[in-house]
Amino acid sequence: MAEEKTEVDVLCEKLFMNKKHSANFVDEEELQKAMDFAEDYKKFLNDNKTEREVAKFVVAEAEKKGFVPFDKFKKYAPGDKVYYLNRKKAVILAVIGKKSVGEGVRIAAAHIDSPRLDLKPNPLYEANEVALFKTHYYGGIKKYQWTTIPMSLHGVVVLRDGTEVEVSLGEKDGEPQFVISDLLPHLSKEQDKRNLDDGIKGEELNVIVGSLPFKADKGSELVKLNILKLLNEKYGMVEEDFLTAELEMVPAAKVTDIGFDRSLIGGYGHDDRVCAYPELRAILDLDETPDYTAIAVLTDKEETGSDGNTGLNSSYMKYFIADLARADGLMVWDVLSKSKCLSADVNAAFDPTFPTPFEAKNASYLNRGIVVTKYTGARGKGGTSDASAEFVGEVTRIFNNANVNWQLGELGAVDAGGGGTVAKYIANLDVDVVDVGVPVLSMHAPFELIAKLDVYMANKAFTAFFKA
Ligand code: MN
Ligand code: MN
C-alpha cells in the first residue's frame, strides 16, 4: 500500500526545482531514437574533422535536401531553401519562412572548427636523422595531452601554379599516421619538475613524419629529402608549397561508445560538432515551412576568438541577413532587431573526479539534456552576452512545450576561469541571444566525451526553436 503524501512532500514537489536525468524521462521508443541519432552523429564525426571537411559535407547534404546556392539579388518565397558557403570554411543555411523577414528570423549558430595542431608555414625539418613537422596549436589546448597519440594530417595545399590539392592522410585503414614523442619516465626527472601547463611546451609539439634517408652515398638532410620526394610523388608539391598550405594535425582515433551501457560517445572534436550536427539536422529535416525564416549558421574560427572573415566577429552573417532584408525592401536592422538566436556551443559537464572548479548547484551534467547558459565570461561576467530573463523564459518555454530535456548551467565556479562563445557577436547586432549546448567532459582534449541523450535533445531543441 502506497504511503500517503505528507504536507512536506506536497510542498517539496510544488516548490523545489526538479533536476532531471534525461533517461528517466524518455520512453523506450524515444530512447531508441536517441541511440539511432547517435549512430548518425558518430559517422559524421569520423568523416569530418576540420571546418573545411564539415563545410563540404554540409553543402552536399543540403543539396540532397533541395537547398540551392544563395542568390543575394533574388526574392525568395516561403519554403525556399538556400545555402551560402563562405570561403569553404563556414556555411549558412536558410529555409524561408511564411512571414516577412521584417518580423525577425530564427538563427541557430554553432562552430565547426575544433582545437588542433596547425603546421607552421615552414614546417619540415630533419634533426638527428628523424624528419619532423613544426606546429602552432590552434585553440586552447592542454599541450601535454597531445603527445603519444596517433594523429592524421588534413588540409589543403595550393601549388605554385594555383592548383589546390586536398590532403587527408591517416584516417583510412592502412594509411600511415603521425605522432609527437614524449620522454620516458626513466629520464624525465627534469621535465617532471615543470608545471603541468608547460609539461610539454609549444615548441615541443613537433610531429614525427619519417626516419628513412634517401638512398645516396653522400649528402645532407637525406631523411628530409626522402619525405619531400614522397610528398612530391603523392601531392605534386615542393618544399616552398608549404608556405601556401593550410595543413592540420588532428587526433586519428575513431569515435567509440564509452561505458558498459554505451551511454557516452568518446571522440575528437565534439566541441562544437556536437552542436553543429544536431543543428544541421534540424534545419535539413524541417518537415514544413516555418513561420519565421530559419537560419543555421555553421561558423569557423570560434576557437581562436571568432576573428577573421570566416568567424562570427566578421560581417558575413550580417550581410547574408541584409541581403534577405533588401529583397523585402527593408534595412538589415529591421530584421536583426526582431530576430532571435540560439548560440550553440558546448558547456563543461560536471566532472566527478575534478569537482573543485565547478559549483555543483549551477553546473551542467551529462544526460540532463541541452544546457541553457544565461551568461559566460570571466571575472565578474566580463565579455559576456547576458541573456535576459524574458528571452531565457521564452526559449525554455519552447523547449518545455516540445518535451526537450534541458538544464541550466554556468561555465564553472566564479573565478575558476571562464570562456566565451559567439553569443556576444550576435547579441551585439541587437539580436536576442542565449547560449545553449551539449555538456562535454574533457573539453578540448584529443578525446572528448558527451552523452548520447544530450546530443539527441539538442536536435529536438533546435527543431522546436525553428518551428516556434
Ligand atoms: Mn566551442
Ligand atoms: Mn571550444
Side-chain angles (χ1 to χ4, degrees):
M1 181 177 133
E3 282 192 25
E4 229 173 274
K5 280 184 184 168
T6 64
E7 198 185 344
V8 173
D9 291 337
V10 172
L11 270 182
C12 285
E13 211 167 278
K14 183 179 168 193
L15 299 178
F16 279 154
M17 187 151 59
N18 181 14
K19 296 217 168 178
K20 294 174 178 178
H21 188 296
S22 282
N24 291 336
F25 290 83
V26 294
D27 57 28
E28 278 304 313
E29 194 189 328
E30 192 163 39
L31 197 58
Q32 190 53 49
K33 277 192 201 164
M35 295 302 135
D36 294 345
F37 189 83
E39 291 309 304
D40 295 343
Y41 172 57
K42 280 157 61 184
K43 181 167 176 8
F44 163 78
L45 272 187
N46 274 334
D47 293 350
N48 305 282
K49 293 197 169 181
T50 65
E51 64 275 0
R52 283 178 186 269
E53 290 169 359
V54 175
K56 198 172 179 182
F57 170 84
V58 169
V59 167
E61 292 299 299
E63 286 181 342
K64 280 186 216 161
K65 294 274 190 172
F67 285 72
V68 296
F70 181 56
D71 175 349
K72 61 195 282 181
F73 297 110
K74 188 172 166 182
K75 166 104 178 93
Y76 287 98
D80 284 350
K81 299 171 177 183
V82 295
Y83 70 84
Y84 167 70
L85 177 63
N86 179 5
R87 297 168 172 87
K88 303 177 192 169
K89 295 180 184 185
V91 196
I92 299 176
L93 306 176
V95 177
I96 308 301
K98 292 176 195 154
K99 295 176 190 272
S100 158
V101 292
E103 310 222 13
V105 297
R106 299 288 175 270
I107 306 163
H111 68 91
I112 54 177
D113 60 320
S114 297
R116 59 176 191 244
L117 305 178
D118 287 351
L119 298 201
K120 290 194 183 191
N122 183 22
L124 180 62
Y125 69 106
E126 176 177 338
N128 311 98
E129 298 172 352
V130 174
L132 302 106
F133 278 159
K134 294 297 294 179
T135 67
H136 194 141
Y137 62 97
Y138 174 98
I141 62 167
K142 295 169 87 169
K143 296 183 273 290
Y144 69 88
Q145 295 176 332
W146 292 69
T147 65
T148 65
I149 56 164
M151 286 197 280
S152 57
L153 181 66
H154 294 245
V156 63
V157 184
V158 178
L159 305 180
R160 293 294 88 197
D161 64 359
T163 312
E164 289 177 33
V165 183
E166 280 183 33
V167 175
S168 171
L169 189 61
E171 294 293 338
K172 296 196 188 89
D173 283 346
E175 284 184 348
Q177 299 176 336
F178 309 92
V179 74
I180 295 168
S181 63
D182 194 3
L183 272 176
L184 60 169
H186 318 62
L187 296 181
S188 66
K189 218 172 149 194
E190 279 304 310
Q191 185 196 29
D192 291 347
K193 290 179 193 156
R194 297 182 185 176
N195 289 325
L196 197 55
D197 69 351
D198 66 354
I200 296 291
K201 297 179 184 182
E203 292 296 351
E204 291 167 345
L205 291 172
N206 303 322
V207 185
I208 294 174
V209 299
S211 63
L212 280 179
F214 180 75
K215 281 195 170 58
D217 295 338
K218 54 184 173 193
S220 59
E221 296 193 298
L222 292 177
V223 179
K224 175 176 169 178
L225 179 66
N226 199 39
I227 297 296
L228 282 172
K229 181 170 169 284
L230 291 170
L231 288 173
N232 185 260
E233 284 163 8
K234 192 166 172 62
Y235 302 115
M237 65 183 289
V238 297
E239 188 175 16
E240 202 179 335
D241 294 325
F242 277 118
L243 300 177
T244 47
E246 282 180 359
L247 292 166
E248 295 130 24
M249 285 286 171
V250 301
K254 294 288 176 210
V255 173
T256 185
D257 288 349
I258 296 289
F260 291 113
D261 58 6
R262 295 179 173 268
S263 58
L264 308 168
I265 302 172
Y268 163 67
H270 285 308
D271 178 8
D272 186 32
R273 291 178 291 165
V274 75
C275 298
Y277 185 72
E279 175 191 310
L280 170 68
R281 281 283 299 270
I283 197 159
L284 293 182
D285 295 345
L286 275 179
D287 48 9
E288 53 188 46
T289 303
D291 285 345
Y292 296 91
T293 294
I295 298 180
V297 180
L298 299 162
T299 196
D300 179 31
K301 291 284 174 282
E302 195 279 338
E303 295 296 357
T304 51
S306 293
D307 291 315
N309 53 20
T310 52
L312 269 186
N313 196 17
S314 81
S315 297
Y316 79 92
M317 186 191 84
K318 185 171 82 178
Y319 292 164
F320 180 85
I321 293 173
D323 292 333
L324 290 177
R326 179 177 46 196
D328 274 11
L330 301 164
M331 305 306 285
V332 67
W333 53 83
D334 298 329
V335 180
L336 289 170
S337 302
K338 288 191 172 176
S339 292
K340 291 166 184 177
C341 174
L342 297 183
S343 159
D345 208 344
V346 295
N347 201 327
F350 189 91
D351 189 329
T353 302
F354 300 101
T356 328
F358 297 92
E359 192 269 282
K361 287 184 278 299
N362 286 283
S364 65
Y365 294 81
L366 293 174
N367 280 315
R368 284 189 189 167
I370 190 167
V371 193
V372 178
T373 305
K374 183 172 153 57
Y375 51 84
T376 57
R379 297 171 303 281
K381 298 189 178 180
T384 188
S385 147
D386 200 338
S388 71
E390 290 85 347
F391 190 55
V392 174
E394 182 180 341
V395 165
T396 52
R397 276 197 302 279
I398 291 171
F399 291 171
N400 282 340
N401 290 339
N403 286 319
V404 175
N405 285 76
W406 61 273
Q407 54 183 324
L408 219 90
E410 266 194 312
L411 181 62
V414 177
D415 291 341
T421 67
V422 300
K424 63 178 173 183
Y425 303 111
I426 299 171
N428 290 347
L429 297 172
D430 197 28
V431 175
D432 272 317
V433 184
V434 67
D435 277 303
V436 301
V438 172
V440 179
L441 270 184
S442 310
M443 194 194 295
H444 285 203
F447 195 78
E448 303 173 318
L449 214 54
I450 61 102
K452 291 179 179 177
L453 271 170
D454 296 332
V455 62
Y456 170 75
M457 287 298 166
N459 177 249
K460 274 183 83 171
F462 295 125
T463 303
F465 177 71
F466 284 144
K467 285 182 169 181

